[in-house]
Amino acid sequence: MIVRIDIDGSENLLFDYRVCHESEDLYADAGLASVVESLVAAVEGLPPEVIGVEVSYRGVVSGTYPLQVIAMNLDQVATHAVNTTEAIEEARG
């Protein structure tokens, strides 16, 4: 199973996330301090049958990763999500 983690928030506010599979919400949380903290919380709750995760930050998908890649590289995945979103938002003007 491949799930999607949607993270919302900004550098000045708290973050929230939701985990969904085929448009069905599995679980969510709010009031987290960072994108990394949101990823950690989202990954910790995943069921064992999850093999991959699509990561979206503020509506911009930054990639789809095998679960073990996210678990071993949380900071890099979070940074990539933030940088991708910033680049897309900058291009939109």
Side-chain angles (χ1 to χ4, degrees), residues 11-66:
E11 296 307 315
N12 301 331
L13 302 173
L14 296 177
F15 295 82
D16 61 274
Y17 73 87
R18 73 183 179 104
V19 177
C20 58
H21 178 257
E22 296 181 357
S23 301
E24 179 184 332
D25 286 350
L26 301 176
Y27 57 93
D29 198 4
L32 299 156
S34 68
V35 174
V36 172
E37 191 175 314
S38 299
L39 270 177
V40 168
V43 168
E44 284 178 348
L46 292 175
E49 62 270 12
V50 172
I51 59 168
V53 177
E54 180 181 71
V55 177
S56 170
Y57 177 58
R58 293 193 332 221
V60 177
V61 175
S62 60
T64 303
Y65 307 91

Side-chain angles (χ1 to χ4, degrees), residues 56-77:
S56 170
Y57 177 58
R58 293 193 332 221
V60 177
V61 175
S62 60
T64 303
Y65 307 91
L67 183 55
Q68 66 271 18
V69 169
I70 290 180
M72 294 179 354
N73 301 289
L74 285 164
D75 289 331
Q76 292 172 330
V77 172

